[in-house]
């Protein structure tokens, strides 16, 4: 009796497996759904019918709900083209930030970026922090000052957008972002003091008098060279040094210099010479400075050697290759996500 029962169970299992196998083989495959776009406007006809948008190529560029997104853009973002605020959060669809990269949907389209990706070109820099037109302003900063993120000189006046001074406070747009002030208001903190006259880092020097770039090139009588390059740009302080002479306390040279845009070339040379604490007579000294307010100074002191020949102390390529980069990154306005 047991043998009969076991045999029946085995037969039942085999039969069920064969049925499953047959069902799997005979199950029809799903066909890919083809979106019909008879008017060739890149929007499926079915989507146009759903929202009663009509037909024709002009449908794609229309903005029926006036949310500053076209019907095509609304389709790409899967929003309602007949409703200004699809999710009822009191933000118009164009002002939403679908990918949360601090650039709105509308702004992303204006900047030719993908509003569904934080890093459209996948280069490790968020869309907000990109500088597509290389004008020293990020995408986010361009929209704050009202310039074009894909055009380096939006008003075509010969100045890059970063070099413009929108609020006329003697600080250009790039430097205002660098200092943390508002480039659209001459007195960002409303304290009665204009931004250029403030002292953001509390070092006793007004913002406009801060050093933006400085280069010192020195050659002693033994033809040993010293080169010191400092820059405070693009949200970074960078110091590069090449020292064949062995000068002391070079790392703190910047703090020992108290320069102003109003000083003479002779005063500039005297202060640099004193700050360097030179142990021996010098053959040549060259100093170049650019201040935040745009003022530039260049001064040189050169002595002839015994043969009456002057030594060329400038060797930019060599100094760049052999220099020590002591950059101090103080952060970015276009934060990478």
């Amino acid at each position: 009796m047991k043998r009969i029962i076991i045999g029946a169970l085995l037969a039942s299992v085999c039969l069920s497996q064969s049925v499953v196998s047959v069902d799997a083989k005979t199950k029809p495959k799903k066909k890919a759904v083809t979106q019909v776009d008879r008017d060739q406007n890149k929007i499926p006809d079915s989507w146009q019918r759903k929202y009663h948008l009509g037909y024709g190529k002009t449908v794609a560029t229309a903005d029926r709900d006036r949310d500053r997104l076209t019907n095509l853009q609304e389709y790409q973002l899967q929003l309602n083209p007949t409703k200004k605020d699809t999710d009822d959060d009191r933000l118009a669809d164009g002002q939403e930030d679908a990918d949360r990269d601090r650039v709105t949907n509308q702004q992303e389209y204006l900047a030719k970026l993908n509003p569904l990706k934080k890093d459209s070109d996948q280069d490790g820099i968020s869309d907000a922090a990109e500088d597509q037109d290389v004008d020293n302003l990020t995408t986010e900063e361009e929209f704050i000052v009202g310039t074009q993120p894909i055009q380096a000189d939006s008003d075509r006046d010969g100045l890059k957008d970063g070099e413009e001074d929108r609020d006329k406070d003697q600080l250009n747009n790039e430097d205002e972002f660098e200092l943390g002030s508002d480039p659209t208001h001459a007195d960002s903190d409303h304290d009665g003091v204009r931004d250029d006259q403030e002292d953001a880092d509390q070092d006793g020097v007004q913002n406009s008098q801060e050093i933006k770039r400085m280069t010192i090139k020195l050659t002693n009588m033994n033809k040993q060279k010293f080169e010191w390059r400092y820059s405070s740009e693009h949200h970074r302080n960078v110091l590069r040094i090449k020292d064949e002479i062995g000068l002391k306390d070079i790392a703190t040279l910047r703090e020992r210099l108290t320069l102003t845009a109003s000083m003479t070339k002779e005063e500039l040379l005297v202060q640099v010479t004193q700050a360097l604490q030179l142990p021996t007579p010098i053959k040549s000294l060259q100093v170049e400075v650019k201040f935040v307010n745009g003022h530039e100074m260049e001064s040189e002191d050169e002595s002839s050697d015994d043969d009456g020949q002057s030594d060329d102390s400038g060797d930019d390529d060599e100094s760049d290759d052999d220099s020590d980069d002591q950059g101090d990154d103080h952060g970015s306005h276009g934060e990478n996500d």
Side-chain angles (χ1 to χ4, degrees), residues 33-57 59-61 70-79 81:
V33 178
T34 303
Q35 298 281 12
V36 178
D37 180 16
R38 291 189 177 88
D39 51 9
Q40 298 181 347
N41 62 4
K42 299 182 181 180
I43 303 175
D45 294 348
S46 59
W47 198 81
Q48 292 178 179
R49 284 196 301 272
K50 176 181 178 181
Y51 292 106
H52 308 288
L53 300 177
Y55 290 90
K57 290 192 175 181
V59 170
T61 56
T70 66
N71 289 331
L72 176 58
Q73 292 166 350
E74 301 242 29
Y75 167 69
Q76 292 168 342
L77 294 169
Q78 290 301 293
L79 298 170

Side-chain angles (χ1 to χ4, degrees), residues 74-198:
E74 301 242 29
Y75 167 69
Q76 292 168 342
L77 294 169
Q78 290 301 293
L79 298 170
N80 186 336
T82 65
K83 191 175 181 181
K84 189 173 185 177
D85 178 13
T86 299
D87 56 5
D88 295 317
D89 65 350
R90 297 185 180 181
L91 264 184
D93 293 341
Q95 300 305 309
E96 295 277 3
D97 181 10
D99 52 8
R100 299 182 181 181
D101 61 356
R102 301 197 314 276
V103 184
T104 68
N105 295 337
Q106 180 199 8
Q107 290 171 346
E108 299 246 24
Y109 280 114
L110 289 173
K112 300 189 183 303
L113 298 169
N114 187 340
L116 296 174
K117 286 185 178 180
K118 286 186 178 182
D119 179 11
S120 296
D121 56 5
Q122 299 180 326
D123 64 349
I125 301 174
S126 71
D127 291 345
E130 290 279 5
D131 180 11
Q132 297 183 88
D133 52 8
V134 197
D135 61 357
N136 295 330
L137 291 180
T138 67
T139 304
E140 184 179 18
E141 291 168 349
E142 298 256 19
F143 284 113
I144 290 174
V145 296
T147 51
Q148 297 295 325
I150 53 177
Q151 190 172 334
D153 179 12
S154 298
D155 57 5
R156 301 180 183 179
D157 64 349
L159 281 178
K160 286 187 175 182
D161 294 340
E163 298 169 345
E164 298 278 2
D165 178 14
R166 174 175 167 175
D167 55 6
K168 311 297 182 186
D169 62 357
Q170 306 302 313
L171 295 174
N172 65 36
N173 295 336
E174 176 193 359
D175 292 329
E176 295 248 31
F177 284 116
E178 194 85 38
L179 292 165
S181 54
D182 185 348
T184 66
H185 292 283
D187 180 11
S188 299
D189 55 6
H190 307 289
D191 64 349
V193 180
R194 210 169 60 178
D195 292 343
D196 62 316
Q197 298 169 359
E198 297 274 6

Side-chain angles (χ1 to χ4, degrees), residues 285-323:
L285 174 63
Q286 295 174 304
V287 182
E288 297 177 6
V289 187
K290 181 175 182 180
F291 296 90
V292 167
N293 65 5
H295 182 71
E296 297 184 42
M297 293 180 66
E298 184 175 346
S299 189
E300 182 175 356
D301 182 15
E302 188 167 352
S303 302
S304 299
D305 59 18
D306 295 339
D307 298 328
Q309 300 291 328
S310 62
D311 178 58
D312 183 11
S313 63
D315 189 351
D316 291 346
D317 293 337
E318 181 182 345
S319 64
D320 283 344
D321 292 340
D322 297 337
S323 62

Side-chain angles (χ1 to χ4, degrees), residues 273-284:
T273 301
Q274 291 175 346
L276 287 172
Q277 303 172 18
L278 299 177
T280 57
I282 62 170
K283 181 178 178 59
S284 65

